[in-house]
Amino acid sequence: MGRDVARELPWVLTLSDEHRLLFRERGHLLAASLLQHLDATQSEGAAHHLKEASVSAGEYGRIAAGLDLSLSQTIEGFLRFRAPFHHELAVAARRRGFDAAETTDVLESAERAMDRLLVATMTGHSVATGRRRRGLALTDDEHPDRTT
């Protein structure tokens, strides 16, 4: 883990290597689905991939809650993923020779999708936290030591 992450998100140091790997894997799944959403040429395919990404984002939130991370910490982790994703998207647009209008369209689409994923992350966290407060057992998706 880089020093920048440890400095910006000191709570990450409290996570085990296994839990950091779990978040990294969820982030890769989320990014792959998001890229498929942005690359889709038909609205049905785009919607399908955005739904997949939303499910992964919700799982991220539930897992974070299962690790007793606060909603603020969960959002910090999500935002840590968001910034480099947008940067890489801009680099890819330049590499593909997109003009300014095409690049703007892609970045705006990504921003709208990321907003939806952030809400899914927050919802996943809130649902899991609510279950725990009511004394209900965590589901397999919510339990950080069980992966699907």
Side-chain angles (χ1 to χ4, degrees):
M1 174 184 26
R3 290 181 205 179
D4 290 342
V5 174
R7 191 174 331 114
E8 294 174 22
L9 307 173
W11 55 265
V12 171
L13 296 174
T14 67
L15 299 175
S16 69
D17 289 342
E18 180 182 348
H19 290 148
R20 282 195 296 273
L21 178 61
L22 182 60
F23 280 120
R24 195 172 309 120
E25 288 171 349
R26 293 284 181 230
H28 289 300
L29 290 172
L30 192 131
S33 294
L34 185 54
L35 286 173
Q36 289 174 322
H37 162 73
L38 294 170
D39 281 342
T41 57
Q42 299 193 359
S43 60
E44 298 85 21
H48 169 76
H49 293 300
L50 185 56
K51 183 173 179 156
E52 284 182 342
S54 294
V55 168
S56 292
E59 290 171 354
Y60 177 94
R62 287 189 296 277
I63 291 167
L67 290 170
D68 289 326
L69 295 177
S70 69
L71 182 57
S72 294
Q73 290 169 322
T74 303
I75 292 169
E76 285 175 339
F78 182 90
L79 293 177
R80 181 75 177 161
F81 157 79
R82 183 181 189 143
F85 183 86
H86 282 302
H87 173 76
E88 288 302 317
L89 199 55
V91 169
R94 275 194 302 273
R95 244 191 339 258
R96 291 182 178 183
F98 286 11
D99 64 24
E102 291 171 313
T103 300
T104 299
D105 286 346
V106 168
L107 292 174
E108 286 178 349
S109 293
E111 189 68 24
R112 283 190 302 274
M114 282 288 193
D115 289 347
R116 183 168 167 184
L117 299 180
L118 179 57
V119 170
T121 300
M122 293 165 47
T123 300
H125 186 281
S126 296
V127 167
T129 300
R131 288 181 59 81
R132 292 178 76 196
R133 284 187 182 143
R134 290 189 310 271
L136 300 174
L138 294 176
T139 66
D140 284 347
D141 286 343
E142 294 165 344
H143 198 286
D145 294 322
R146 294 185 199 133
T147 58
T148 55

